[in-house]
Every structure is written in C-alpha cells, then in structure tokens.
Amino acid sequence: MPVATRIEEVRTEVTALAESARTVEDLMHGMVKLLHDRMLKYNWVGFYMLEPEAQPPVLVLGAFEGAMTPHTRIPLNQGICGAAASSGQTVVVDDVAKDPRYLACSLETRSEIVVPVFAHGAVVGELDIDSHFPAAFTPEHQDFVQHCAMLVGKKLEIAPA
Ligand code: SME
C-alpha cells in the first residue's frame, strides 16, 4: 500500500477515535496503539505531558507503545523532547546520531519526530515518535503527526484529563 494511502486511512481512523473517545486519557492510549500498530516505521510512540505547576517545568512520560524508555522525566533544556516543548515547534531529526541534543531511548532508533500539543494556546505536552529507519518523517508524516497532536489538544480544551 502506498504510504500516502496508509496515512489517509489512519488519519480517518484517528479522527474517528478522537470523536468517540470518552476522555483525553482514552484518546491518548488509543492513539499511541493505533499509530504503533498501523504505521510501519513508527517503532516507539508516546506522549510526554508537562507536569502541572512543576518549577522548573518537566515533561513526564504518559501513554506509550514500544520498549520502556529510561527517560520518564525530561527537563525542558534536555533532549529533542525538551527542544520541541520549549520552542513550541515540531522537531524532525533525520539522523539522531548527528544531533547532540538526542537522548537515547533505544539503540535501534535512527530518526525521530516530536510535535508539541497545544491547548488554549499554550504547550501542554508533546507527541514523540521514534523510528528504526533513517529519515522516516517526511513532510507527509509531519503533517499527519501534527494532525494527531492537534486532536489531543482540542480534546483537552473540551474535556480535561
Ligand atoms: N529521544 C528523546 C527522548 C525520549 S525517547 O526517545 C522515548 C529526546 O531526545 O528527547
């Protein structure tokens, strides 16, 4: 199946999941499972959410699918995860071995995307995906993962976790 077709199929499924999920927690758990199961190169999929009121701010591992990671709490000045949350920008890394910010989760990881989740205009967390394949996150994937993160942000706005 062409990758564009698969992305369109899973985009439809994930959008339906956002409508049917009862809570944001249900949506995040269902979404990481769906993305991990259906997207062939998404080998680790997880959410990191900003801990409310924490000073200094810290990202805490939430729903995920894939191998357990040593990075369960990430300060905003560390990692690709910290870079995405502190800048409010999507970060795509085609070759993690060449990025000095990278915090290793699995020795097999070759590329990574981290997309911030916004609610009421502020970053509240992020969707992090690792791939065993180099440069897995082309612009089509970036657009799709941003759509997924947006669905979680919108759900948070109407139904807090
Ligand atoms: N690689 C991330 C850390 C999280 S693990 O990939 C699950 C980073 O550099 O921030």
Side-chain angles (χ1 to χ4, degrees):
M1 178 192 294
V3 70
T5 312
R6 182 174 294 266
I7 287 177
E8 281 320 303
E9 270 190 23
V10 182
R11 186 191 290 260
T12 304
E13 290 174 32
V14 93
T15 305
L17 181 69
E19 280 164 22
S20 65
R22 209 172 46 81
T23 65
V24 182
E25 287 295 320
D26 287 354
L27 174 58
M28 291 193 286
H29 280 98
M31 188 179 285
V32 294
K33 179 150 178 45
L34 184 63
L35 295 180
H36 186 256
D37 287 354
R38 300 289 312 280
M39 301 303 291
L40 302 179
K41 295 186 179 179
Y42 293 15
N43 300 111
W44 190 95
V45 183
F47 284 96
Y48 284 93
M49 303 307 285
L50 277 174
E51 189 166 78
E53 316 288 332
Q55 275 315 326
V58 63
L59 293 158
V60 180
L61 181 63
F64 74 95
E65 284 282 330
M68 185 55 191
T69 169
H71 304 292
T72 55
R73 296 174 66 84
I74 303 178
L76 292 202
N77 60 355
Q78 287 182 23
I80 316 284
C81 286
S86 57
S87 66
Q89 305 276 327
T90 294
V91 180
V92 175
V93 179
D94 286 341
D95 179 354
V96 295
K98 293 200 179 124
D99 194 317
R101 299 170 298 182
Y102 175 64
L103 298 171
C105 166
S106 151
L107 290 177
E108 290 173 300
T109 297
R110 301 290 307 281
S111 60
E112 178 163 9
I113 184 170
V114 186
V115 177
V117 173
F118 286 87
H120 302 294
V123 175
V124 292
E126 60 195 23
L127 177 53
D128 177 15
I129 306 179
D130 292 354
S131 179
H132 296 171
F133 298 83
F137 303 105
T138 59
E140 290 84 354
H141 287 277
Q142 184 174 331
D143 181 71
F144 169 60
V145 179
Q146 288 178 170
H147 175 74
C148 294
M150 180 275 293
L151 291 172
V152 172
K154 290 275 170 261
K155 191 87 172 175
L156 266 173
E157 289 178 358
I158 56 167

